[in-house]
Structure formats: structure tokens, C-alpha cells
Amino acid sequence: MAELVKVVVDAMGGDLAPVEPVKAAVEAVKERKDILVILTGQEEVIHSELKKYQDYPTDRIQVVNATEVIETAEPPVFAIRKKKDSSIVVGLKMVKEQKADAFVSSGSTGAVLVGGQVLVGRSKGVERPPLAPLIPTAKGVSLLIDCGANVDARPSHLVQFAKMGSIYMEHVVGIKNPRVAIVNNGAEEEKGNALVKETFPLLKEAEGINFIGSIEARDIPAGYADVIVCEAFVGNVILKLYEGVSSELIHKIKDGMMSTLKSKIGALLVKPALKQTLKSFDATEYGGAPLLGLKGLVVKTHGSAKAIEIKHAIFQCVQFKQQRINEKIAEKIQPAQFPAPDKE
Amino acid sequence: MAELVKVVVDAMGGDLAPVEPVKAAVEAVKERKDILVILTGQEEVIHSELKKYQDYPTDRIQVVNATEVIETAEPPVFAIRKKKDSSIVVGLKMVKEQKADAFVSSGSTGAVLVGGQVLVGRSKGVERPPLAPLIPTAKGVSLLIDCGANVDARPSHLVQFAKMGSIYMEHVVGIKNPRVAIVNNGAEEEKGNALVKETFPLLKEAEGINFIGSIEARDIPAGYADVIVCEAFVGNVILKLYEGVSSELIHKIKDGMMSTLKSKIGALLVKPALKQTLKSFDATEYGGAPLLGLKGLVVKTHGSAKAIEIKHAIFQCVQFKQQRINEKIAEKIQPAQFPAPDKE
């Protein structure tokens, strides 16, 4: 067994805190022996929550007190600066100081993103750390990179996203030689906005990635590529529309099933099987979005994350650490000041 | 009854031509007395197709010969220039020369867009004619403007899109005081990429539109706004992802229903009701995307459009003409060289 991987979990973050993060911590250490979970947040609240559980390895859950809570509505930069004793700031600092390997939070996305960059810091050579959620597809999952808060990326950012995303998909998700595609408004090479046109040849030339060209948004759910490269504004639209269309359609289907007596009876028979299939199209099964390219790992889970999602995120962190992803990223990302050597 | 509205239909355009366009023409003139349809394409092919039908007002279908066909794969600009006797070029020229009011095609989107701009020409003051499909929502339909081929729009383009889209939704679709929103990566006013940040205050100040602020992609399917303003790259992603997520999800649901004996029986009972509901989420019911801001109307229907979609597009053209949409657009769009008067 490898050494313990230390994962900080924000016990105060998200709509369902502290109940779900604490539950996730307990389940994670029960399920795997190589994990130590550190819960940050208001000590008393966490301890009284932990009391609900018996029969878990108590030596592998620690509590670190943090008296403040950053609310979702707070301006992120200001919140990170001001609330030095918040569960997010305390947790991220532990990663920065290498007292922990990773930080998982369902709290304010903005605060986690800003905090990750400011407090943990970027890996050498990484120009912009992308937030990269896994999205469900017909074939499993794809990594949508970037969905972060910094929009209007440069071509060099997108090339780094492609490289970091490939490493993640290969070594954390386990897809050999992952197919990389750039989101475009057509399949032809001459298509694209200024950013895509400039990035396309760079991706074609980039070494160590399996670039397959453009992907139209229509083909994303079918699973045509494993690493979907785009700048964050577009990534945000894709991620949220995925959610919006699915939930609207499922609503429509439920309404349809309830519309006649005959269909109501049918619905009862169909329900168990349908539940199983729809689960595979549910983003929350995949355990949160990593913020890549930092000196440590930061994972953002949904604001409404339940224990199962947070637990998966914790496991992701273990895989990330054991697979030495940050070292692999550092090897592959060349610092910008040194131009890549010419090919011979 | 108003005078006849003359709509040219491209009889050679789309995967199902000439069968579906010709069928649409016949059904359109049978259903409404105020329409004259002009079918462009290879005369003999069209006439032999028309022979299938009896009992329709033959005097309100005309055939104009065009020997060439533009294929979807051809580079649009080149095709429009070279194939002067194609169904698309001949049809668009009739609109240009005011021999017809509108042109409907299921053929090459690129050729229709380029041809519309080059051959029909822009209305005075319109900087960029947007392609604006109607997309299904929980509340009906919204206009997604722009999904055209020209990406990287300027703020002034987006403001014009908002105005043209409002006129269209009010007078063609019949929504009073349509709500206009700009696609953004968050609901807060400080969110956005450079384009959105620059456009937002201009939309806030623009007169004659009901601007309600930003819309996140998640809220588009729920029908939070009637006119969804975005630049064409983002519009393309939204339109195609809508299609991709819906079709993937419907696949999953069908698979789920077929997975057990119990669910198969349920599926039989549920099917008729479900079909009806899913129909309301089917973009093809709404009759194609208008290319707005031209000296005439050009409507692009899906490449796989059936007669019903083409017929709806023809009806859209009638509404467009009878509601004097182009005149309304011309009144509302100030030519760029004259700055808008200051408010007092």
C-alpha cells in the first residue's frame, strides 16, 4: 500500500454542508485504507456531525478548526483576502504548505478558483490553471477543459489545456491515448473564430497529444473525443446547457408519462430501468471538477453535492497523487519563456 | 385577403429534395390562398414530381428552371460565384430583383448565407445579417440570434441582433414585448468575456427592446428569455449542443426502456403520450431559421427538412411579408454612420 494521501475536505462548503461532506469523509476512509481526510470548518459543528457515525477508522479523519464561512454570493477575491480563517482559505493553505495533497470543496466556485490560484499557486510554466469537469457521454465521460472563471484565453493557454487534459484522462480516468478535439463551429479546418483558427495549427504540431481536429458541439454528447478543448466562456455555455437541456427534457418526459392513464401505468413499469440509464447521464456521479496546473490538487464539487460525489472527488485526489499527475504536468508543460526546440 | 406573397422554394436543396420541397409547396398553396410558390431547380425533375399531386391550385405553383445544384460540401463563396444557374442563385436573384418576396432552402447553409448577403444584399444600416433559428423551450420557442457563419461579432452587431430579433418575435411569432437576454457565463453584471462586457451597457441603453440582462446557458431551455443574443460561434455551440444532448438522452431513454421485460411492456404503454411531448421539443416543428436584415427574406431549413418544416417556413415568409418586418427593421436600425441622438 502506498503512503497515506491527505485530502482536505471543506466541511462548510455547499448547500448540504456539513452533513454531506462529513458523511463523504467517513465513507471514504472506511472504503479505502490509503486515505487521510482532514475536515476544515467549525470544529464543534464537525465533531457533532461526526458523532453520528460509529465503526470508522477515527485515526484517519482529522478536524482543523476554521471559524469563518465564505458564502456563495460573496465577491471571491474579496472573500479570500478577508476571511483568512474560512474553511476554504485554511484548507488551501494546508495544500500550499504541503501539509495536505489536495483540497475538495462544494463551496463558492469563484472563491475556490481564486483561492486555488492565489494561495496554492500555479505549477511552473502553467499560464492559466483550467477548471475541467468530466461530462457524461454515450461512451462514458469526456473532460471539458476549460470551464473556469478566466475567459478570453490565448492560443497558448488552450495548448496547455490539451496537454494537461490528456494527462488527466490517461492517468486518472484511465483512457489510453485520449483523443483531443477543439470545439468549433464546423468540422472543416478553415472554420472557427480567431482564437480557434490560431490554436488549431498549434494543436496539430503539439507533441505528446492525440489531436483529432475540430469537434462540433452536436458530437460532444456522442463521445467523439475524450478531451474537449475550449476557452472558458464557451466551456461554461457547454457545461450549463448540458444540464439545462437534460433537465428540461427529463421534465418533458415525466410530464408525458403522467399525461394519460395508460401512460401512467407504463411509467410505473418503465421507471426502475429508466432510473438506471439516466444515472449514467448524471454529471454528479463523476466526482467534481479538478482545477489543474496548481502546486497541489484542488477539486470543485457541485454546490448541491451529496456524499457520493464528494467521496468520488476524494478518490480522484488519491489517484491524482498516486499517479504523480503534477509531476507529469510539469514535465510536459514547458515554461513559456523557453521556446520549444525546433523539429529536425 | 392581402395580395399574394411570392415565396421561392429551392426544389433541389437538402437531403430529401426534390420530394419534400415539392410536397411542401403543394401543401402550402392548398392550405392558404395568399401564397404563390415558385420552385427553382431542374424543370423536368420538378414537373415529374409535381405530377404526383392532383387537386391543388396549379396556378399558384410556378417552376423556374435552374440546371445546376450546389452541393453541401462545396466552398460556399466559390459555389455562389461559379454556379450562376443553380437553384440557390436563381432563387436569391428573384428576391433581389423583387420578383419574389422570400427564398426558402434546405440546401448548403454556407451557400444560402453567403448568397443571401451577396446576392440579396443587406438592408440599409444593417451591419451583419444574423441567422436566427427558433429553439424549443419549456414555454414555447426562443429566437437564438446569431447562429450564422460570421463569427467574432462586434458589440454594435449584437445590439442590432437584439433589435431585429425583438421585431421578429413580436410580429412573426406573436410574443408581446419579447424579453431579450445576452448569453453570459454568470448572472451577475460583472461577468462575461470582453465582447459581452462591452455589449451589456449598450443593450441596457438601447431603446425599443425589453432587455432583461444576462442569461446562463442552463436557463435557455427553461424559456427565461424570448430573444437570446450571442455571437455566432457561441450560437452555433448552443444550437448544436441542444440537438446533441437531446438526441443522446432520447437514445439513453429508449435503451433504458428496452432493458428489461417489464420496462418493454411499460414502453408500449408510455410511447404514444411520450411521442406527443417530445414533439414539442423538436426544432423541426418550427420551420427554419430566418436570415434577418436583408432586402427580402431568406429562410434556411434543416438539411434533412421534411415537407412540414418547409411548409412552416413558407408560412413564416407570408407572416414576415404581411407584417412588413423589413420595413420595421429599417425603421429601428439606425445606419451606423449616424450616431444615435443623446437622451435628454
Side-chain angles (χ1 to χ4, degrees):
Chain A
M1 185 57 70
E3 58 175 330
L4 281 183
V5 178
K6 294 174 197 150
V7 181
V8 184
V9 173
D10 173 5
M12 315 311 281
D15 311 335
L16 307 174
V19 177
E20 299 296 325
V22 171
K23 189 178 172 200
V26 171
E27 287 178 0
V29 296
K30 274 174 87 167
E31 209 164 307
R32 289 183 63 153
K33 290 200 162 56
D34 50 1
I35 302 173
L36 171 78
V37 174
I38 301 155
L39 290 162
T40 53
Q42 291 156 352
E43 236 168 7
E44 287 164 43
V45 176
I46 299 173
H47 280 300
S48 90
E49 198 57 39
L50 276 171
K51 271 185 200 144
K52 290 184 190 166
Y53 303 93
Q54 282 97 38
D55 297 330
Y56 71 94
T58 50
D59 57 322
R60 287 195 286 111
I61 292 192
Q62 296 177 359
V63 176
V64 169
N65 193 32
T67 56
E68 292 173 298
V69 176
I70 294 177
E71 307 294 342
T72 310
E74 291 181 70
V77 178
F78 186 73
I80 288 292
R81 233 184 261 157
K82 200 182 133 222
K83 293 193 168 169
K84 298 224 185 298
D85 200 36
S86 61
S87 54
I88 291 178
V89 172
V90 169
L92 288 169
K93 279 201 171 152
M94 293 188 72
V95 178
K96 159 87 175 173
E97 293 158 3
Q98 300 187 348
K99 291 178 189 161
D101 301 298
F103 176 68
V104 175
S105 175
S106 309
S108 155
T109 306
V112 173
L113 289 181
V114 170
Q117 294 192 43
V118 173
L119 299 176
V120 179
R122 286 177 283 161
S123 276
K124 199 181 165 190
V126 171
E127 296 174 26
R128 179 181 284 188
L131 181 71
L134 288 167
I135 54 171
T137 72
K139 293 180 185 161
V141 286
S142 301
L143 193 74
L144 185 63
I145 187 167
D146 173 26
C147 296
N150 295 315
V151 293
D152 296 323
R154 289 199 300 270
S156 60
H157 298 154
L158 296 191
V159 174
Q160 292 197 340
F161 297 167
K163 291 180 178 175
M164 290 190 263
S166 295
I167 295 170
Y168 192 87
M169 284 308 274
E170 178 140 6
H171 300 286
V172 177
V173 180
I175 291 172
K176 277 270 157 256
N177 201 24
R179 298 156 301 165
V180 176
I182 186 164
V183 177
N184 207 346
N185 63 331
E188 307 85 359
E189 195 169 336
E190 75 273 11
K191 288 272 180 170
N193 55 14
L195 175 65
V196 171
K197 279 182 178 162
E198 220 179 307
T199 308
F200 197 99
L202 302 179
L203 286 174
K204 249 175 124 174
E205 281 168 23
E207 301 204 11
I209 60 166
N210 175 18
F211 181 57
I212 61 166
S214 292
I215 188 166
E216 288 193 86
R218 178 195 289 125
D219 298 326
I220 296 174
Y224 280 25
D226 304 302
V227 179
I228 315 277
V229 175
C230 56
E231 68 82 37
F233 188 90
V234 169
N236 190 285
V237 165
I238 292 172
L239 186 67
K240 289 183 180 162
L241 195 62
Y242 235 82
E243 226 179 288
V245 173
S246 308
S247 92
E248 195 47 51
L249 207 56
I250 289 170
H251 259 121
K252 287 253 175 209
I253 287 165
K254 282 182 182 161
D255 285 355
M257 285 183 176
M258 290 298 128
S259 62
T260 66
L261 180 61
K262 201 171 101 180
S263 68
K264 276 183 193 166
I265 298 167
L268 284 176
L269 297 169
V270 154
K271 211 175 158 191
L274 215 53
K275 218 171 171 178
Q276 194 53 41
T277 348
L278 290 180
K279 210 177 156 188
S280 72
F281 216 72
D282 179 359
T284 60
E285 285 295 301
Y286 303 106
L291 182 58
L292 296 173
L294 299 180
K295 296 176 191 152
L297 179 61
V298 174
V299 177
K300 173 66 182 75
T301 40
H302 288 83
S304 57
K306 295 216 167 191
I308 185 164
E309 178 179 349
I310 302 170
K311 186 185 75 177
H312 281 154
I314 296 170
F315 292 165
Q316 244 181 317
C317 295
V318 177
Q319 186 75 359
F320 195 91
K321 169 73 178 172
Q322 290 175 349
Q323 289 290 326
R324 304 175 60 255
I325 300 301
N326 270 347
E327 290 79 351
K328 290 191 170 94
I329 286 177
E331 279 161 29
K332 221 164 185 175
I333 299 285
Q334 310 240 355
Q337 60 268 38
F338 305 114
D342 286 336
K343 279 185 223 166
E344 300 205 272
Chain B
M1 186 58 69
E3 58 175 332
L4 281 184
V5 178
K6 295 176 197 150
V7 181
V8 184
V9 173
D10 174 4
M12 317 309 282
D15 312 334
L16 307 174
V19 177
E20 299 296 325
V22 171
K23 190 178 172 198
V26 172
E27 288 178 357
V29 296
K30 276 174 85 166
E31 210 164 305
R32 288 182 65 152
K33 290 200 163 58
D34 50 1
I35 302 175
L36 170 79
V37 174
I38 302 156
L39 290 162
T40 54
Q42 292 156 351
E43 238 171 3
E44 288 163 41
V45 176
I46 298 172
H47 279 302
S48 90
E49 198 56 39
L50 275 171
K51 272 186 199 143
K52 290 185 190 166
Y53 303 93
Q54 283 97 36
D55 298 329
Y56 71 93
T58 51
D59 57 320
R60 286 194 285 113
I61 291 193
Q62 297 176 359
V63 177
V64 169
N65 193 32
T67 56
E68 294 174 298
V69 176
I70 294 178
E71 307 292 341
T72 310
E74 291 180 71
V77 178
F78 187 72
I80 288 292
R81 235 183 259 157
K82 199 181 135 227
K83 294 191 169 171
K84 299 226 184 293
D85 200 35
S86 61
S87 54
I88 292 178
V89 171
V90 168
L92 288 170
K93 278 199 173 153
M94 292 187 72
V95 178
K96 159 86 175 174
E97 292 157 5
Q98 300 187 349
K99 292 179 188 159
D101 300 300
F103 175 69
V104 174
S105 175
S106 308
S108 156
T109 306
V112 173
L113 290 181
V114 170
Q117 295 192 43
V118 173
L119 299 175
V120 179
R122 286 176 282 162
S123 276
K124 198 180 165 189
V126 171
E127 296 174 26
R128 178 180 285 187
L131 181 72
L134 287 168
I135 54 171
T137 72
K139 293 181 184 158
V141 286
S142 300
L143 193 75
L144 186 62
I145 188 167
D146 176 27
C147 295
N150 295 314
V151 295
D152 296 324
R154 289 201 300 270
S156 60
H157 298 155
L158 297 190
V159 174
Q160 292 197 340
F161 297 168
K163 290 180 179 174
M164 290 189 263
S166 295
I167 294 170
Y168 192 87
M169 285 307 275
E170 178 139 7
H171 300 287
V172 177
V173 180
I175 291 172
K176 278 267 157 259
N177 201 23
R179 297 156 303 164
V180 176
I182 187 164
V183 177
N184 207 347
N185 63 333
E188 306 84 358
E189 194 168 336
E190 73 274 11
K191 288 273 181 171
N193 56 13
L195 176 65
V196 171
K197 280 182 178 162
E198 220 179 309
T199 307
F200 197 99
L202 301 180
L203 287 173
K204 248 175 125 174
E205 280 168 22
E207 301 205 7
I209 60 166
N210 176 17
F211 181 57
I212 61 165
S214 293
I215 187 166
E216 288 193 86
R218 177 196 290 126
D219 297 326
I220 296 174
Y224 280 24
D226 304 302
V227 179
I228 316 276
V229 175
C230 56
E231 69 82 37
F233 188 91
V234 169
N236 191 284
V237 165
I238 293 171
L239 187 66
K240 289 183 180 163
L241 195 63
Y242 234 83
E243 227 178 287
V245 173
S246 308
S247 92
E248 194 46 51
L249 206 57
I250 289 170
H251 260 122
K252 288 253 175 211
I253 287 164
K254 282 182 183 161
D255 285 355
M257 285 183 176
M258 290 299 128
S259 62
T260 66
L261 179 62
K262 202 170 100 179
S263 69
K264 276 182 194 168
I265 298 168
L268 285 176
L269 298 170
V270 155
K271 213 175 157 188
L274 216 52
K275 219 170 170 178
Q276 195 51 41
T277 346
L278 289 180
K279 211 176 154 187
S280 72
F281 216 70
D282 179 359
T284 61
E285 286 295 304
Y286 304 106
L291 181 59
L292 295 174
L294 300 180
K295 294 176 191 151
L297 179 60
V298 173
V299 177
K300 172 67 183 75
T301 40
H302 288 83
S304 56
K306 297 215 167 194
I308 185 164
E309 178 178 350
I310 303 170
K311 186 186 75 176
H312 281 154
I314 296 170
F315 292 165
Q316 244 181 317
C317 294
V318 177
Q319 186 76 1
F320 195 90
K321 169 73 179 173
Q322 290 177 348
Q323 288 291 326
R324 304 175 59 256
I325 300 301
N326 271 348
E327 290 80 351
K328 290 191 170 94
I329 286 177
E331 279 161 29
K332 219 164 186 176
I333 299 286
Q334 310 241 354
Q337 61 268 37
F338 305 115
D342 286 335
K343 282 185 220 166
E344 300 204 273

